[in-house]
Amino acid sequence: MPPSGPPPAGRPRLERPGPLRERVYEALLELITTRALRPGEHLVENELADRLGVSRQPVREALQRLNAEGWVELRPAQGAYVRLPTEEEAGQLLAVRALLRSEAAGLAATRARPADVEALTGICGQGGSAVAADDLDRAGTLDALFHAKVMDLAGNAVLAGLAAQIDRRARWYHAPGSRARDGRTWSGYRDVTAAIAAGDQPLATRLTREQAEPEQPAPTTHPVRPVRRDT
């Protein structure tokens, strides 16, 4: 059973509603993708359970699921470790993401309405302003928003689902939105928006593909986001 009483000061807590096993899985996955749990780090069930304020059972189940999905490596007689990503995997990941984003841009060019183009134009303007103001966090957020809007305009739920999975893994390999810190990126996004506005599917696809350049490696650590345990 989960420990009773308030958790020790400074310990993360589970916040998300829903089944405990799912919440523990999501909390551990977030710690991995943000590199609060670093690649190669030994994952000790007791320590993770105490960190999240739960029993070992949902932690063990979460680690088995993470192992099946390629986030964690279970080594016989050694325990669980955060898997070490390779440069080859990173390159393959970005190639797949580029294909998905390019396909989405092409589809968006066949479906976007004037209001949609206006929204994309507004995001590009805000992104350029964020770069000019050296507000890199906001630039990264707007970069993700731009791609999310294009993906939404594509109108393909399967494509969007695959892109969401790839984007999450990309956060593990690379610093989120690092390319968004370059003003040239936003100029490129404006070109993509213009192609979408013109309904030019091949051009929107090609320009988006050309935007796909390697990003900078992610930092080895990240602040732990507080989570809330059951009451």
mmCIF file with all atom_site columns, all heavy atoms in Angstrom, residues 45-60:
data_model
loop_
_atom_site.group_PDB
_atom_site.id
_atom_site.type_symbol
_atom_site.label_atom_id
_atom_site.label_alt_id
_atom_site.label_comp_id
_atom_site.label_asym_id
_atom_site.label_entity_id
_atom_site.label_seq_id
_atom_site.pdbx_PDB_ins_code
_atom_site.Cartn_x
_atom_site.Cartn_y
_atom_site.Cartn_z
_atom_site.occupancy
_atom_site.B_iso_or_equiv
_atom_site.pdbx_formal_charge
_atom_site.auth_seq_id
_atom_site.auth_comp_id
_atom_site.auth_asym_id
_atom_site.auth_atom_id
_atom_site.pdbx_PDB_model_num
ATOM 1   N N   . GLU A 1 45 ? 13.933 0.844  -7.519  1.00 0.00 ? 45 GLU A N   1
ATOM 2   C CA  . GLU A 1 45 ? 12.499 0.878  -7.257  1.00 0.00 ? 45 GLU A CA  1
ATOM 3   C C   . GLU A 1 45 ? 12.154 1.578  -5.954  1.00 0.00 ? 45 GLU A C   1
ATOM 4   O O   . GLU A 1 45 ? 11.228 2.400  -5.897  1.00 0.00 ? 45 GLU A O   1
ATOM 5   C CB  . GLU A 1 45 ? 11.937 -0.552 -7.246  1.00 0.00 ? 45 GLU A CB  1
ATOM 6   C CG  . GLU A 1 45 ? 11.872 -1.192 -8.609  1.00 0.00 ? 45 GLU A CG  1
ATOM 7   C CD  . GLU A 1 45 ? 11.252 -2.577 -8.549  1.00 0.00 ? 45 GLU A CD  1
ATOM 8   O OE1 . GLU A 1 45 ? 10.758 -2.966 -7.454  1.00 0.00 ? 45 GLU A OE1 1
ATOM 9   O OE2 . GLU A 1 45 ? 11.261 -3.281 -9.581  1.00 0.00 ? 45 GLU A OE2 1
ATOM 10  N N   . ASN A 1 46 ? 12.871 1.233  -4.870  1.00 0.00 ? 46 ASN A N   1
ATOM 11  C CA  . ASN A 1 46 ? 12.577 1.850  -3.571  1.00 0.00 ? 46 ASN A CA  1
ATOM 12  C C   . ASN A 1 46 ? 12.727 3.369  -3.625  1.00 0.00 ? 46 ASN A C   1
ATOM 13  O O   . ASN A 1 46 ? 11.893 4.111  -3.086  1.00 0.00 ? 46 ASN A O   1
ATOM 14  C CB  . ASN A 1 46 ? 13.496 1.283  -2.491  1.00 0.00 ? 46 ASN A CB  1
ATOM 15  C CG  . ASN A 1 46 ? 13.095 -0.117 -2.057  1.00 0.00 ? 46 ASN A CG  1
ATOM 16  O OD1 . ASN A 1 46 ? 11.949 -0.526 -2.244  1.00 0.00 ? 46 ASN A OD1 1
ATOM 17  N ND2 . ASN A 1 46 ? 14.028 -0.847 -1.484  1.00 0.00 ? 46 ASN A ND2 1
ATOM 18  N N   . GLU A 1 47 ? 13.780 3.824  -4.273  1.00 0.00 ? 47 GLU A N   1
ATOM 19  C CA  . GLU A 1 47 ? 14.035 5.263  -4.348  1.00 0.00 ? 47 GLU A CA  1
ATOM 20  C C   . GLU A 1 47 ? 12.972 5.967  -5.184  1.00 0.00 ? 47 GLU A C   1
ATOM 21  O O   . GLU A 1 47 ? 12.506 7.058  -4.826  1.00 0.00 ? 47 GLU A O   1
ATOM 22  C CB  . GLU A 1 47 ? 15.423 5.514  -4.927  1.00 0.00 ? 47 GLU A CB  1
ATOM 23  C CG  . GLU A 1 47 ? 16.558 5.026  -4.037  1.00 0.00 ? 47 GLU A CG  1
ATOM 24  C CD  . GLU A 1 47 ? 17.913 5.233  -4.674  1.00 0.00 ? 47 GLU A CD  1
ATOM 25  O OE1 . GLU A 1 47 ? 17.968 5.728  -5.824  1.00 0.00 ? 47 GLU A OE1 1
ATOM 26  O OE2 . GLU A 1 47 ? 18.931 4.892  -4.030  1.00 0.00 ? 47 GLU A OE2 1
ATOM 27  N N   . LEU A 1 48 ? 12.590 5.354  -6.295  1.00 0.00 ? 48 LEU A N   1
ATOM 28  C CA  . LEU A 1 48 ? 11.564 5.959  -7.137  1.00 0.00 ? 48 LEU A CA  1
ATOM 29  C C   . LEU A 1 48 ? 10.210 5.970  -6.432  1.00 0.00 ? 48 LEU A C   1
ATOM 30  O O   . LEU A 1 48 ? 9.454  6.939  -6.535  1.00 0.00 ? 48 LEU A O   1
ATOM 31  C CB  . LEU A 1 48 ? 11.459 5.193  -8.458  1.00 0.00 ? 48 LEU A CB  1
ATOM 32  C CG  . LEU A 1 48 ? 12.666 5.291  -9.389  1.00 0.00 ? 48 LEU A CG  1
ATOM 33  C CD1 . LEU A 1 48 ? 12.476 4.369  -10.587 1.00 0.00 ? 48 LEU A CD1 1
ATOM 34  C CD2 . LEU A 1 48 ? 12.893 6.730  -9.842  1.00 0.00 ? 48 LEU A CD2 1
ATOM 35  N N   . ALA A 1 49 ? 9.907  4.885  -5.736  1.00 0.00 ? 49 ALA A N   1
ATOM 36  C CA  . ALA A 1 49 ? 8.645  4.820  -5.002  1.00 0.00 ? 49 ALA A CA  1
ATOM 37  C C   . ALA A 1 49 ? 8.588  5.918  -3.933  1.00 0.00 ? 49 ALA A C   1
ATOM 38  O O   . ALA A 1 49 ? 7.562  6.594  -3.763  1.00 0.00 ? 49 ALA A O   1
ATOM 39  C CB  . ALA A 1 49 ? 8.483  3.443  -4.361  1.00 0.00 ? 49 ALA A CB  1
ATOM 40  N N   . ASP A 1 50 ? 9.696  6.114  -3.220  1.00 0.00 ? 50 ASP A N   1
ATOM 41  C CA  . ASP A 1 50 ? 9.748  7.158  -2.197  1.00 0.00 ? 50 ASP A CA  1
ATOM 42  C C   . ASP A 1 50 ? 9.661  8.537  -2.833  1.00 0.00 ? 50 ASP A C   1
ATOM 43  O O   . ASP A 1 50 ? 9.007  9.442  -2.313  1.00 0.00 ? 50 ASP A O   1
ATOM 44  C CB  . ASP A 1 50 ? 11.039 7.034  -1.388  1.00 0.00 ? 50 ASP A CB  1
ATOM 45  C CG  . ASP A 1 50 ? 11.101 8.047  -0.264  1.00 0.00 ? 50 ASP A CG  1
ATOM 46  O OD1 . ASP A 1 50 ? 10.281 7.948  0.668   1.00 0.00 ? 50 ASP A OD1 1
ATOM 47  O OD2 . ASP A 1 50 ? 11.961 8.961  -0.329  1.00 0.00 ? 50 ASP A OD2 1
ATOM 48  N N   . ARG A 1 51 ? 10.293 8.686  -3.986  1.00 0.00 ? 51 ARG A N   1
ATOM 49  C CA  . ARG A 1 51 ? 10.292 9.966  -4.692  1.00 0.00 ? 51 ARG A CA  1
ATOM 50  C C   . ARG A 1 51 ? 8.886  10.380 -5.110  1.00 0.00 ? 51 ARG A C   1
ATOM 51  O O   . ARG A 1 51 ? 8.522  11.560 -5.087  1.00 0.00 ? 51 ARG A O   1
ATOM 52  C CB  . ARG A 1 51 ? 11.185 9.853  -5.924  1.00 0.00 ? 51 ARG A CB  1
ATOM 53  C CG  . ARG A 1 51 ? 11.436 11.146 -6.690  1.00 0.00 ? 51 ARG A CG  1
ATOM 54  C CD  . ARG A 1 51 ? 12.489 10.900 -7.755  1.00 0.00 ? 51 ARG A CD  1
ATOM 55  N NE  . ARG A 1 51 ? 12.950 12.134 -8.360  1.00 0.00 ? 51 ARG A NE  1
ATOM 56  C CZ  . ARG A 1 51 ? 13.983 12.207 -9.189  1.00 0.00 ? 51 ARG A CZ  1
ATOM 57  N NH1 . ARG A 1 51 ? 14.665 11.111 -9.484  1.00 0.00 ? 51 ARG A NH1 1
ATOM 58  N NH2 . ARG A 1 51 ? 14.340 13.366 -9.713  1.00 0.00 ? 51 ARG A NH2 1
ATOM 59  N N   . LEU A 1 52 ? 8.082  9.387  -5.503  1.00 0.00 ? 52 LEU A N   1
ATOM 60  C CA  . LEU A 1 52 ? 6.736  9.660  -5.975  1.00 0.00 ? 52 LEU A CA  1
ATOM 61  C C   . LEU A 1 52 ? 5.669  9.477  -4.899  1.00 0.00 ? 52 LEU A C   1
ATOM 62  O O   . LEU A 1 52 ? 4.511  9.816  -5.107  1.00 0.00 ? 52 LEU A O   1
ATOM 63  C CB  . LEU A 1 52 ? 6.413  8.760  -7.167  1.00 0.00 ? 52 LEU A CB  1
ATOM 64  C CG  . LEU A 1 52 ? 7.315  8.931  -8.402  1.00 0.00 ? 52 LEU A CG  1
ATOM 65  C CD1 . LEU A 1 52 ? 6.929  7.922  -9.472  1.00 0.00 ? 52 LEU A CD1 1
ATOM 66  C CD2 . LEU A 1 52 ? 7.241  10.349 -8.942  1.00 0.00 ? 52 LEU A CD2 1
ATOM 67  N N   . GLY A 1 53 ? 6.056  8.923  -3.768  1.00 0.00 ? 53 GLY A N   1
ATOM 68  C CA  . GLY A 1 53 ? 5.102  8.738  -2.683  1.00 0.00 ? 53 GLY A CA  1
ATOM 69  C C   . GLY A 1 53 ? 4.130  7.605  -2.923  1.00 0.00 ? 53 GLY A C   1
ATOM 70  O O   . GLY A 1 53 ? 2.948  7.707  -2.576  1.00 0.00 ? 53 GLY A O   1
ATOM 71  N N   . VAL A 1 54 ? 4.629  6.517  -3.533  1.00 0.00 ? 54 VAL A N   1
ATOM 72  C CA  . VAL A 1 54 ? 3.773  5.371  -3.824  1.00 0.00 ? 54 VAL A CA  1
ATOM 73  C C   . VAL A 1 54 ? 4.493  4.101  -3.388  1.00 0.00 ? 54 VAL A C   1
ATOM 74  O O   . VAL A 1 54 ? 5.638  4.140  -2.933  1.00 0.00 ? 54 VAL A O   1
ATOM 75  C CB  . VAL A 1 54 ? 3.443  5.289  -5.332  1.00 0.00 ? 54 VAL A CB  1
ATOM 76  C CG1 . VAL A 1 54 ? 2.665  6.520  -5.782  1.00 0.00 ? 54 VAL A CG1 1
ATOM 77  C CG2 . VAL A 1 54 ? 4.720  5.132  -6.164  1.00 0.00 ? 54 VAL A CG2 1
ATOM 78  N N   . SER A 1 55 ? 3.824  2.952  -3.561  1.00 0.00 ? 55 SER A N   1
ATOM 79  C CA  . SER A 1 55 ? 4.458  1.673  -3.257  1.00 0.00 ? 55 SER A CA  1
ATOM 80  C C   . SER A 1 55 ? 5.335  1.242  -4.431  1.00 0.00 ? 55 SER A C   1
ATOM 81  O O   . SER A 1 55 ? 5.319  1.841  -5.511  1.00 0.00 ? 55 SER A O   1
ATOM 82  C CB  . SER A 1 55 ? 3.398  0.608  -2.977  1.00 0.00 ? 55 SER A CB  1
ATOM 83  O OG  . SER A 1 55 ? 2.650  0.345  -4.148  1.00 0.00 ? 55 SER A OG  1
ATOM 84  N N   . ARG A 1 56 ? 6.072  0.155  -4.252  1.00 0.00 ? 56 ARG A N   1
ATOM 85  C CA  . ARG A 1 56 ? 6.974  -0.318 -5.300  1.00 0.00 ? 56 ARG A CA  1
ATOM 86  C C   . ARG A 1 56 ? 6.233  -0.941 -6.478  1.00 0.00 ? 56 ARG A C   1
ATOM 87  O O   . ARG A 1 56 ? 6.737  -0.937 -7.600  1.00 0.00 ? 56 ARG A O   1
ATOM 88  C CB  . ARG A 1 56 ? 7.951  -1.336 -4.715  1.00 0.00 ? 56 ARG A CB  1
ATOM 89  C CG  . ARG A 1 56 ? 8.950  -0.763 -3.725  1.00 0.00 ? 56 ARG A CG  1
ATOM 90  C CD  . ARG A 1 56 ? 9.824  -1.863 -3.142  1.00 0.00 ? 56 ARG A CD  1
ATOM 91  N NE  . ARG A 1 56 ? 10.524 -2.629 -4.179  1.00 0.00 ? 56 ARG A NE  1
ATOM 92  C CZ  . ARG A 1 56 ? 11.282 -3.695 -3.916  1.00 0.00 ? 56 ARG A CZ  1
ATOM 93  N NH1 . ARG A 1 56 ? 11.392 -4.144 -2.663  1.00 0.00 ? 56 ARG A NH1 1
ATOM 94  N NH2 . ARG A 1 56 ? 11.900 -4.327 -4.894  1.00 0.00 ? 56 ARG A NH2 1
ATOM 95  N N   . GLN A 1 57 ? 5.024  -1.512 -6.232  1.00 0.00 ? 57 GLN A N   1
ATOM 96  C CA  . GLN A 1 57 ? 4.333  -2.257 -7.277  1.00 0.00 ? 57 GLN A CA  1
ATOM 97  C C   . GLN A 1 57 ? 4.045  -1.405 -8.529  1.00 0.00 ? 57 GLN A C   1
ATOM 98  O O   . GLN A 1 57 ? 4.383  -1.827 -9.640  1.00 0.00 ? 57 GLN A O   1
ATOM 99  C CB  . GLN A 1 57 ? 3.028  -2.853 -6.745  1.00 0.00 ? 57 GLN A CB  1
ATOM 100 C CG  . GLN A 1 57 ? 2.270  -3.710 -7.752  1.00 0.00 ? 57 GLN A CG  1
ATOM 101 C CD  . GLN A 1 57 ? 3.089  -4.896 -8.249  1.00 0.00 ? 57 GLN A CD  1
ATOM 102 O OE1 . GLN A 1 57 ? 3.922  -5.449 -7.524  1.00 0.00 ? 57 GLN A OE1 1
ATOM 103 N NE2 . GLN A 1 57 ? 2.855  -5.305 -9.491  1.00 0.00 ? 57 GLN A NE2 1
ATOM 104 N N   . PRO A 1 58 ? 3.424  -0.224 -8.408  1.00 0.00 ? 58 PRO A N   1
ATOM 105 C CA  . PRO A 1 58 ? 3.181  0.561  -9.630  1.00 0.00 ? 58 PRO A CA  1
ATOM 106 C C   . PRO A 1 58 ? 4.478  1.039  -10.284 1.00 0.00 ? 58 PRO A C   1
ATOM 107 O O   . PRO A 1 58 ? 4.519  1.210  -11.502 1.00 0.00 ? 58 PRO A O   1
ATOM 108 C CB  . PRO A 1 58 ? 2.329  1.741  -9.141  1.00 0.00 ? 58 PRO A CB  1
ATOM 109 C CG  . PRO A 1 58 ? 2.594  1.825  -7.681  1.00 0.00 ? 58 PRO A CG  1
ATOM 110 C CD  . PRO A 1 58 ? 2.833  0.430  -7.228  1.00 0.00 ? 58 PRO A CD  1
ATOM 111 N N   . VAL A 1 59 ? 5.529  1.225  -9.492  1.00 0.00 ? 59 VAL A N   1
ATOM 112 C CA  . VAL A 1 59 ? 6.831  1.598  -10.052 1.00 0.00 ? 59 VAL A CA  1
ATOM 113 C C   . VAL A 1 59 ? 7.384  0.446  -10.880 1.00 0.00 ? 59 VAL A C   1
ATOM 114 O O   . VAL A 1 59 ? 7.878  0.637  -11.993 1.00 0.00 ? 59 VAL A O   1
ATOM 115 C CB  . VAL A 1 59 ? 7.812  1.989  -8.933  1.00 0.00 ? 59 VAL A CB  1
ATOM 116 C CG1 . VAL A 1 59 ? 9.223  2.157  -9.488  1.00 0.00 ? 59 VAL A CG1 1
ATOM 117 C CG2 . VAL A 1 59 ? 7.358  3.273  -8.252  1.00 0.00 ? 59 VAL A CG2 1
ATOM 118 N N   . ARG A 1 60 ? 7.286  -0.782 -10.332 1.00 0.00 ? 60 ARG A N   1
ATOM 119 C CA  . ARG A 1 60 ? 7.782  -1.954 -11.052 1.00 0.00 ? 60 ARG A CA  1
ATOM 120 C C   . ARG A 1 60 ? 7.017  -2.132 -12.372 1.00 0.00 ? 60 ARG A C   1
ATOM 121 O O   . ARG A 1 60 ? 7.615  -2.406 -13.419 1.00 0.00 ? 60 ARG A O   1
ATOM 122 C CB  . ARG A 1 60 ? 7.626  -3.198 -10.174 1.00 0.00 ? 60 ARG A CB  1
ATOM 123 C CG  . ARG A 1 60 ? 8.186  -4.465 -10.813 1.00 0.00 ? 60 ARG A CG  1
ATOM 124 C CD  . ARG A 1 60 ? 8.042  -5.675 -9.893  1.00 0.00 ? 60 ARG A CD  1
ATOM 125 N NE  . ARG A 1 60 ? 8.740  -5.476 -8.636  1.00 0.00 ? 60 ARG A NE  1
ATOM 126 C CZ  . ARG A 1 60 ? 8.128  -5.321 -7.457  1.00 0.00 ? 60 ARG A CZ  1
ATOM 127 N NH1 . ARG A 1 60 ? 6.803  -5.364 -7.390  1.00 0.00 ? 60 ARG A NH1 1
ATOM 128 N NH2 . ARG A 1 60 ? 8.825  -5.135 -6.366  1.00 0.00 ? 60 ARG A NH2 1
#
